Amino acid sequence: MAKLKLGPIAEDKPVKVTIELPAPLHRDLTRYAEILGRETGQSSTDPLRLIVPMLERFIATDRGFAKAKHERKG
């Protein structure tokens, strides 16, 4: 079983977003959603619902961003 960085996707009110993705990225998001669903025991998630948690995870683990954000506060 793969060790994915994302866990179960929280059920929130949907927010409509318009975004254009390259086809290979959309295919990867779809595959990721299928694998995540199998690992978490949930049904396959809409791949577009992965975008927000992925961005949140990226920002939360970006040390350069955290440092710049901290320096800006000071």
Side-chain angles (χ1 to χ4, degrees):
M1 192 178 291
K3 176 73 173 147
L4 302 179
K5 288 188 175 192
L6 291 181
I9 305 297
E11 289 296 324
D12 284 334
K13 287 178 22 179
V15 176
K16 189 174 243 176
V17 175
T18 302
I19 184 170
E20 198 168 301
L21 300 174
L25 177 56
H26 186 263
R27 284 191 294 271
D28 284 345
L29 281 172
T30 301
R31 288 185 192 118
Y32 197 105
E34 291 167 0
I35 294 167
L36 182 63
R38 282 197 304 266
E39 284 202 353
T40 60
Q42 297 176 332
S43 60
S44 183
T45 292
D46 175 0
L48 299 180
R49 292 196 61 218
L50 299 176
I51 294 170
V52 170
M54 286 179 162
L55 288 173
E56 288 173 339
R57 175 88 172 163
F58 175 82
I59 289 172
T61 59
D62 186 316
R63 291 183 182 158
F65 175 71
K67 182 179 178 184
K69 186 177 168 183
H70 178 71
E71 288 172 354
R72 186 169 181 174
K73 285 183 181 178

